[in-house]
mmCIF file of all heavy atoms in Angstrom:
data_model
loop_
_atom_site.group_PDB
_atom_site.id
_atom_site.type_symbol
_atom_site.label_atom_id
_atom_site.label_comp_id
_atom_site.label_asym_id
_atom_site.label_seq_id
_atom_site.Cartn_x
_atom_site.Cartn_y
_atom_site.Cartn_z
ATOM 1 N N LEU A 1 -60.264 -74.817 102.748
ATOM 2 C CA LEU A 1 -61.222 -75.944 102.453
ATOM 3 C C LEU A 1 -62.582 -75.395 102.041
ATOM 4 O O LEU A 1 -63.184 -75.946 101.062
ATOM 5 C CB LEU A 1 -61.276 -76.854 103.751
ATOM 6 C CG LEU A 1 -60.048 -77.765 104.012
ATOM 7 C CD1 LEU A 1 -60.160 -78.185 105.493
ATOM 8 C CD2 LEU A 1 -60.107 -78.846 103.040
ATOM 9 N N VAL A 2 -63.000 -74.335 102.639
ATOM 10 C CA VAL A 2 -64.337 -73.809 102.274
ATOM 11 C C VAL A 2 -64.180 -73.337 100.821
ATOM 12 O O VAL A 2 -65.083 -73.486 99.988
ATOM 13 C CB VAL A 2 -64.693 -72.669 103.203
ATOM 14 C CG1 VAL A 2 -65.906 -71.882 102.692
ATOM 15 C CG2 VAL A 2 -65.049 -73.236 104.624
ATOM 16 N N GLU A 3 -63.107 -72.577 100.443
ATOM 17 C CA GLU A 3 -62.868 -72.101 99.222
ATOM 18 C C GLU A 3 -62.683 -73.137 98.176
ATOM 19 O O GLU A 3 -63.013 -72.882 96.982
ATOM 20 C CB GLU A 3 -61.706 -71.023 99.187
ATOM 21 C CG GLU A 3 -62.081 -69.781 100.061
ATOM 22 C CD GLU A 3 -60.943 -68.833 100.244
ATOM 23 O OE1 GLU A 3 -59.826 -69.304 99.893
ATOM 24 O OE2 GLU A 3 -61.165 -67.754 100.696
ATOM 25 N N GLU A 4 -62.316 -74.324 98.553
ATOM 26 C CA GLU A 4 -62.272 -75.479 97.691
ATOM 27 C C GLU A 4 -63.516 -76.202 97.478
ATOM 28 O O GLU A 4 -63.656 -77.114 96.740
ATOM 29 C CB GLU A 4 -61.140 -76.491 98.199
ATOM 30 C CG GLU A 4 -59.774 -75.912 98.100
ATOM 31 C CD GLU A 4 -58.694 -76.875 98.774
ATOM 32 O OE1 GLU A 4 -59.133 -78.025 99.029
ATOM 33 O OE2 GLU A 4 -57.673 -76.446 99.005
ATOM 34 N N GLY A 5 -64.590 -75.730 98.197
ATOM 35 C CA GLY A 5 -65.964 -76.351 98.069
ATOM 36 C C GLY A 5 -66.410 -77.321 99.192
ATOM 37 O O GLY A 5 -67.427 -77.855 99.071
ATOM 38 N N PHE A 6 -65.551 -77.480 100.235
ATOM 39 C CA PHE A 6 -65.932 -78.301 101.260
ATOM 40 C C PHE A 6 -66.938 -77.629 102.185
ATOM 41 O O PHE A 6 -66.852 -76.491 102.534
ATOM 42 C CB PHE A 6 -64.773 -78.792 102.132
ATOM 43 C CG PHE A 6 -63.886 -79.807 101.392
ATOM 44 C CD1 PHE A 6 -62.907 -79.333 100.505
ATOM 45 C CD2 PHE A 6 -64.045 -81.105 101.525
ATOM 46 C CE1 PHE A 6 -62.139 -80.253 99.873
ATOM 47 C CE2 PHE A 6 -63.271 -82.112 100.916
ATOM 48 C CZ PHE A 6 -62.257 -81.650 100.083
ATOM 49 N N ASP A 7 -67.948 -78.338 102.675
ATOM 50 C CA ASP A 7 -69.021 -77.735 103.629
ATOM 51 C C ASP A 7 -68.456 -77.927 105.016
ATOM 52 O O ASP A 7 -68.843 -78.778 105.776
ATOM 53 C CB ASP A 7 -70.267 -78.530 103.420
ATOM 54 C CG ASP A 7 -71.481 -77.814 104.121
ATOM 55 O OD1 ASP A 7 -71.196 -76.745 104.686
ATOM 56 O OD2 ASP A 7 -72.603 -78.338 104.109
ATOM 57 N N ILE A 8 -67.565 -77.012 105.279
ATOM 58 C CA ILE A 8 -66.856 -76.992 106.699
ATOM 59 C C ILE A 8 -67.485 -76.029 107.635
ATOM 60 O O ILE A 8 -67.921 -74.982 107.339
ATOM 61 C CB ILE A 8 -65.342 -76.481 106.442
ATOM 62 C CG1 ILE A 8 -64.629 -77.551 105.532
ATOM 63 C CG2 ILE A 8 -64.569 -76.271 107.761
ATOM 64 C CD1 ILE A 8 -64.427 -78.887 106.073
ATOM 65 N N MET A 9 -67.542 -76.510 108.926
ATOM 66 C CA MET A 9 -67.893 -75.647 109.966
ATOM 67 C C MET A 9 -66.993 -75.846 111.144
ATOM 68 O O MET A 9 -66.259 -76.951 111.289
ATOM 69 C CB MET A 9 -69.343 -75.809 110.403
ATOM 70 C CG MET A 9 -70.372 -75.344 109.464
ATOM 71 S SD MET A 9 -72.060 -75.096 110.170
ATOM 72 C CE MET A 9 -71.779 -73.655 111.233
ATOM 73 N N ALA A 10 -66.770 -74.875 112.010
ATOM 74 C CA ALA A 10 -66.016 -74.983 113.178
ATOM 75 C C ALA A 10 -66.728 -74.632 114.460
ATOM 76 O O ALA A 10 -67.584 -73.693 114.415
ATOM 77 C CB ALA A 10 -64.671 -74.165 113.152
ATOM 78 N N VAL A 11 -66.519 -75.381 115.516
ATOM 79 C CA VAL A 11 -67.136 -75.033 116.789
ATOM 80 C C VAL A 11 -66.003 -74.777 117.804
ATOM 81 O O VAL A 11 -65.169 -75.649 117.996
ATOM 82 C CB VAL A 11 -68.111 -76.025 117.321
ATOM 83 C CG1 VAL A 11 -68.800 -75.748 118.579
ATOM 84 C CG2 VAL A 11 -69.087 -76.495 116.197
ATOM 85 N N ASP A 12 -65.981 -73.633 118.420
ATOM 86 C CA ASP A 12 -64.808 -73.257 119.329
ATOM 87 C C ASP A 12 -65.441 -72.954 120.753
ATOM 88 O O ASP A 12 -66.535 -72.694 120.900
ATOM 89 C CB ASP A 12 -64.185 -71.969 118.755
ATOM 90 C CG ASP A 12 -62.768 -71.843 119.351
ATOM 91 O OD1 ASP A 12 -62.559 -71.689 120.507
ATOM 92 O OD2 ASP A 12 -61.880 -71.780 118.494
ATOM 93 N N ALA A 13 -64.513 -73.177 121.735
ATOM 94 C CA ALA A 13 -64.927 -73.001 123.107
ATOM 95 C C ALA A 13 -64.171 -71.752 123.671
ATOM 96 O O ALA A 13 -63.423 -71.835 124.560
ATOM 97 C CB ALA A 13 -64.577 -74.309 123.956
ATOM 98 N N ASP A 14 -64.608 -70.593 123.171
ATOM 99 C CA ASP A 14 -64.134 -69.305 123.641
ATOM 100 C C ASP A 14 -62.608 -69.024 123.499
ATOM 101 O O ASP A 14 -61.990 -68.297 124.246
ATOM 102 C CB ASP A 14 -64.491 -69.167 125.103
ATOM 103 C CG ASP A 14 -64.513 -67.764 125.586
ATOM 104 O OD1 ASP A 14 -64.942 -66.910 124.863
ATOM 105 O OD2 ASP A 14 -63.952 -67.454 126.736
ATOM 106 N N LEU A 15 -62.064 -69.584 122.462
ATOM 107 C CA LEU A 15 -60.609 -69.513 122.252
ATOM 108 C C LEU A 15 -60.292 -69.239 120.780
ATOM 109 O O LEU A 15 -59.261 -69.683 120.213
ATOM 110 C CB LEU A 15 -59.797 -70.704 122.770
ATOM 111 C CG LEU A 15 -59.768 -70.872 124.293
ATOM 112 C CD1 LEU A 15 -59.365 -72.288 124.665
ATOM 113 C CD2 LEU A 15 -58.894 -69.803 124.872
ATOM 114 N N CYS A 16 -61.144 -68.527 120.072
ATOM 115 C CA CYS A 16 -61.016 -68.408 118.542
ATOM 116 C C CYS A 16 -59.751 -67.690 118.234
ATOM 117 O O CYS A 16 -59.187 -67.970 117.136
ATOM 118 C CB CYS A 16 -62.209 -67.636 118.030
ATOM 119 S SG CYS A 16 -63.838 -68.400 118.330
ATOM 120 N N GLY A 17 -59.260 -66.839 119.030
ATOM 121 C CA GLY A 17 -57.935 -66.128 118.707
ATOM 122 C C GLY A 17 -56.739 -67.100 118.916
ATOM 123 O O GLY A 17 -55.920 -67.249 117.976
ATOM 124 N N SER A 18 -56.686 -67.849 119.990
ATOM 125 C CA SER A 18 -55.593 -68.748 120.291
ATOM 126 C C SER A 18 -55.664 -69.921 119.300
ATOM 127 O O SER A 18 -54.542 -70.410 118.914
ATOM 128 C CB SER A 18 -55.699 -69.189 121.700
ATOM 129 O OG SER A 18 -55.523 -68.121 122.606
ATOM 130 N N THR A 19 -56.730 -70.486 119.008
ATOM 131 C CA THR A 19 -56.867 -71.650 118.127
ATOM 132 C C THR A 19 -56.828 -71.269 116.715
ATOM 133 O O THR A 19 -56.695 -72.173 115.798
ATOM 134 C CB THR A 19 -58.174 -72.488 118.488
ATOM 135 O OG1 THR A 19 -59.323 -71.692 118.033
ATOM 136 C CG2 THR A 19 -58.271 -72.808 119.864
ATOM 137 N N THR A 20 -57.026 -70.048 116.327
ATOM 138 C CA THR A 20 -57.034 -69.391 115.013
ATOM 139 C C THR A 20 -58.286 -69.808 114.245
ATOM 140 O O THR A 20 -58.316 -69.458 113.108
ATOM 141 C CB THR A 20 -55.710 -69.740 114.153
ATOM 142 O OG1 THR A 20 -55.842 -71.115 113.649
ATOM 143 C CG2 THR A 20 -54.443 -69.545 114.976
ATOM 144 N N THR A 21 -59.301 -70.344 114.856
ATOM 145 C CA THR A 21 -60.495 -70.459 114.135
ATOM 146 C C THR A 21 -61.173 -69.085 113.804
ATOM 147 O O THR A 21 -62.075 -69.088 112.940
ATOM 148 C CB THR A 21 -61.564 -71.275 114.912
ATOM 149 O OG1 THR A 21 -61.824 -70.688 116.137
ATOM 150 C CG2 THR A 21 -61.063 -72.726 115.109
ATOM 151 N N GLY A 22 -60.711 -68.019 114.465
ATOM 152 C CA GLY A 22 -61.246 -66.728 114.240
ATOM 153 C C GLY A 22 -60.984 -66.386 112.766
ATOM 154 O O GLY A 22 -61.720 -65.513 112.250
ATOM 155 N N LYS A 23 -59.990 -66.896 112.100
ATOM 156 C CA LYS A 23 -59.727 -66.689 110.591
ATOM 157 C C LYS A 23 -60.904 -67.160 109.818
ATOM 158 O O LYS A 23 -61.321 -66.443 108.836
ATOM 159 C CB LYS A 23 -58.414 -67.307 110.214
ATOM 160 C CG LYS A 23 -57.135 -66.674 110.840
ATOM 161 C CD LYS A 23 -55.895 -67.335 110.267
ATOM 162 C CE LYS A 23 -54.676 -66.647 110.842
ATOM 163 N NZ LYS A 23 -53.431 -67.303 110.341
ATOM 164 N N LEU A 24 -61.444 -68.340 110.150
ATOM 165 C CA LEU A 24 -62.630 -68.879 109.500
ATOM 166 C C LEU A 24 -63.829 -67.916 109.709
ATOM 167 O O LEU A 24 -64.604 -67.551 108.784
ATOM 168 C CB LEU A 24 -63.016 -70.253 109.952
ATOM 169 C CG LEU A 24 -64.183 -70.862 109.342
ATOM 170 C CD1 LEU A 24 -64.013 -71.068 107.771
ATOM 171 C CD2 LEU A 24 -64.500 -72.221 109.979
ATOM 172 N N GLY A 25 -64.028 -67.489 111.040
ATOM 173 C CA GLY A 25 -65.158 -66.612 111.351
ATOM 174 C C GLY A 25 -64.986 -65.283 110.647
ATOM 175 O O GLY A 25 -66.047 -64.718 110.282
ATOM 176 N N ALA A 26 -63.796 -64.650 110.414
ATOM 177 C CA ALA A 26 -63.647 -63.445 109.806
ATOM 178 C C ALA A 26 -64.088 -63.556 108.309
ATOM 179 O O ALA A 26 -64.595 -62.624 107.795
ATOM 180 C CB ALA A 26 -62.280 -62.941 109.908
ATOM 181 N N SER A 27 -63.706 -64.670 107.666
ATOM 182 C CA SER A 27 -64.039 -64.826 106.244
ATOM 183 C C SER A 27 -65.397 -65.307 106.014
ATOM 184 O O SER A 27 -66.109 -64.949 105.007
ATOM 185 C CB SER A 27 -63.022 -65.748 105.638
ATOM 186 O OG SER A 27 -61.700 -65.292 105.669
ATOM 187 N N TYR A 28 -65.908 -66.247 106.835
ATOM 188 C CA TYR A 28 -67.168 -66.854 106.725
ATOM 189 C C TYR A 28 -67.900 -66.957 108.143
ATOM 190 O O TYR A 28 -67.832 -68.033 108.612
ATOM 191 C CB TYR A 28 -67.006 -68.248 106.078
ATOM 192 C CG TYR A 28 -66.341 -68.308 104.739
ATOM 193 C CD1 TYR A 28 -64.972 -68.541 104.708
ATOM 194 C CD2 TYR A 28 -67.058 -67.977 103.556
ATOM 195 C CE1 TYR A 28 -64.381 -68.595 103.361
ATOM 196 C CE2 TYR A 28 -66.469 -67.948 102.371
ATOM 197 C CZ TYR A 28 -65.078 -68.293 102.232
ATOM 198 O OH TYR A 28 -64.458 -68.260 101.041
ATOM 199 N N PRO A 29 -68.480 -65.807 108.531
ATOM 200 C CA PRO A 29 -69.037 -65.778 109.909
ATOM 201 C C PRO A 29 -70.087 -66.828 110.108
ATOM 202 O O PRO A 29 -70.199 -67.316 111.301
ATOM 203 C CB PRO A 29 -69.716 -64.381 109.958
ATOM 204 C CG PRO A 29 -68.974 -63.582 108.888
ATOM 205 C CD PRO A 29 -68.592 -64.537 107.816
ATOM 206 N N ASP A 30 -70.801 -67.358 109.144
ATOM 207 C CA ASP A 30 -71.818 -68.336 109.402
ATOM 208 C C ASP A 30 -71.337 -69.759 109.562
ATOM 209 O O ASP A 30 -72.033 -70.627 109.761
ATOM 210 C CB ASP A 30 -72.882 -68.292 108.297
ATOM 211 C CG ASP A 30 -72.294 -68.556 106.918
ATOM 212 O OD1 ASP A 30 -71.022 -68.320 106.794
ATOM 213 O OD2 ASP A 30 -72.992 -68.991 105.968
ATOM 214 N N ARG A 31 -69.998 -69.890 109.428
ATOM 215 C CA ARG A 31 -69.396 -71.219 109.502
ATOM 216 C C ARG A 31 -68.701 -71.358 110.918
ATOM 217 O O ARG A 31 -67.911 -72.390 111.042
ATOM 218 C CB ARG A 31 -68.351 -71.392 108.356
ATOM 219 C CG ARG A 31 -69.097 -71.506 107.027
ATOM 220 C CD ARG A 31 -68.280 -71.942 105.881
ATOM 221 N NE ARG A 31 -69.026 -72.135 104.648
ATOM 222 C CZ ARG A 31 -69.534 -73.294 104.206
ATOM 223 N NH1 ARG A 31 -69.444 -74.319 104.994
ATOM 224 N NH2 ARG A 31 -70.255 -73.336 103.159
ATOM 225 N N LEU A 32 -68.673 -70.433 111.787
ATOM 226 C CA LEU A 32 -68.013 -70.549 113.081
ATOM 227 C C LEU A 32 -69.073 -70.364 114.150
ATOM 228 O O LEU A 32 -69.815 -69.312 114.240
ATOM 229 C CB LEU A 32 -66.876 -69.582 113.251
ATOM 230 C CG LEU A 32 -66.157 -69.504 114.631
ATOM 231 C CD1 LEU A 32 -65.465 -70.865 114.902
ATOM 232 C CD2 LEU A 32 -65.231 -68.368 114.651
ATOM 233 N N VAL A 33 -69.160 -71.309 115.105
ATOM 234 C CA VAL A 33 -69.940 -71.286 116.257
ATOM 235 C C VAL A 33 -69.062 -71.241 117.507
ATOM 236 O O VAL A 33 -68.232 -72.173 117.759
ATOM 237 C CB VAL A 33 -70.976 -72.453 116.406
ATOM 238 C CG1 VAL A 33 -71.737 -72.290 117.609
ATOM 239 C CG2 VAL A 33 -71.794 -72.456 115.119
ATOM 240 N N ASP A 34 -69.172 -70.183 118.309
ATOM 241 C CA ASP A 34 -68.491 -70.125 119.675
ATOM 242 C C ASP A 34 -69.484 -70.313 120.695
ATOM 243 O O ASP A 34 -70.398 -69.549 121.070
ATOM 244 C CB ASP A 34 -67.793 -68.738 119.749
ATOM 245 C CG ASP A 34 -66.886 -68.692 120.927
ATOM 246 O OD1 ASP A 34 -66.967 -69.507 121.764
ATOM 247 O OD2 ASP A 34 -66.029 -67.733 120.985
ATOM 248 N N VAL A 35 -69.268 -71.546 121.411
ATOM 249 C CA VAL A 35 -70.116 -71.983 122.464
ATOM 250 C C VAL A 35 -69.800 -71.364 123.838
ATOM 251 O O VAL A 35 -70.409 -71.676 124.868
ATOM 252 C CB VAL A 35 -70.324 -73.429 122.479
ATOM 253 C CG1 VAL A 35 -70.888 -73.990 121.248
ATOM 254 C CG2 VAL A 35 -69.053 -74.188 122.882
ATOM 255 N N GLY A 36 -68.671 -70.680 123.922
ATOM 256 C CA GLY A 36 -68.127 -70.261 125.183
ATOM 257 C C GLY A 36 -67.481 -71.355 125.832
ATOM 258 O O GLY A 36 -67.046 -72.412 125.276
ATOM 259 N N ILE A 37 -67.141 -71.105 127.142
ATOM 260 C CA ILE A 37 -66.377 -72.151 127.880
ATOM 261 C C ILE A 37 -67.284 -73.303 128.253
ATOM 262 O O ILE A 37 -67.734 -73.391 129.410
ATOM 263 C CB ILE A 37 -65.685 -71.475 129.180
ATOM 264 C CG1 ILE A 37 -64.879 -70.240 128.770
ATOM 265 C CG2 ILE A 37 -64.793 -72.476 129.880
ATOM 266 C CD1 ILE A 37 -64.319 -69.419 129.878
ATOM 267 N N ALA A 38 -67.498 -74.202 127.329
ATOM 268 C CA ALA A 38 -68.434 -75.277 127.496
ATOM 269 C C ALA A 38 -68.026 -76.363 126.472
ATOM 270 O O ALA A 38 -68.778 -76.608 125.536
ATOM 271 C CB ALA A 38 -69.846 -74.740 127.185
ATOM 272 N N GLU A 39 -67.014 -77.053 126.823
ATOM 273 C CA GLU A 39 -66.492 -78.077 125.876
ATOM 274 C C GLU A 39 -67.382 -79.248 125.591
ATOM 275 O O GLU A 39 -67.466 -79.721 124.523
ATOM 276 C CB GLU A 39 -65.065 -78.625 126.363
ATOM 277 C CG GLU A 39 -63.992 -77.575 126.270
ATOM 278 C CD GLU A 39 -63.982 -76.586 127.498
ATOM 279 O OE1 GLU A 39 -64.794 -76.773 128.411
ATOM 280 O OE2 GLU A 39 -63.202 -75.671 127.386
ATOM 281 N N GLN A 40 -68.232 -79.680 126.580
ATOM 282 C CA GLN A 40 -69.178 -80.740 126.253
ATOM 283 C C GLN A 40 -70.197 -80.257 125.347
ATOM 284 O O GLN A 40 -70.590 -80.989 124.422
ATOM 285 C CB GLN A 40 -69.885 -81.175 127.666
ATOM 286 C CG GLN A 40 -68.907 -81.824 128.648
ATOM 287 C CD GLN A 40 -68.425 -80.848 129.709
ATOM 288 O OE1 GLN A 40 -68.281 -79.590 129.410
ATOM 289 N NE2 GLN A 40 -68.157 -81.299 130.925
#
């Protein structure tokens, strides 16, 4: 989606590997925020 031009970001709660959002962080580090174990 980012490569198609969408202004995408992801926010993860300390599970980037399990949820696979780590793939976004590896390609576009500024588009992934990991807040830790803090879902609220």
Side-chain angles (χ1 to χ4, degrees):
L1 285 165
V2 172
E3 292 174 349
E4 290 173 15
F6 288 86
D7 194 359
I8 295 294
M9 290 197 71
V11 186
D12 203 297
D14 198 41
L15 290 164
C16 298
S18 296
T19 65
T20 75
T21 58
K23 292 183 178 180
L24 177 66
S27 298
Y28 301 97
D30 59 337
R31 291 186 177 271
L32 175 63
V33 178
D34 189 341
V35 298
I37 306 172
E39 288 81 5
Q40 295 97 331

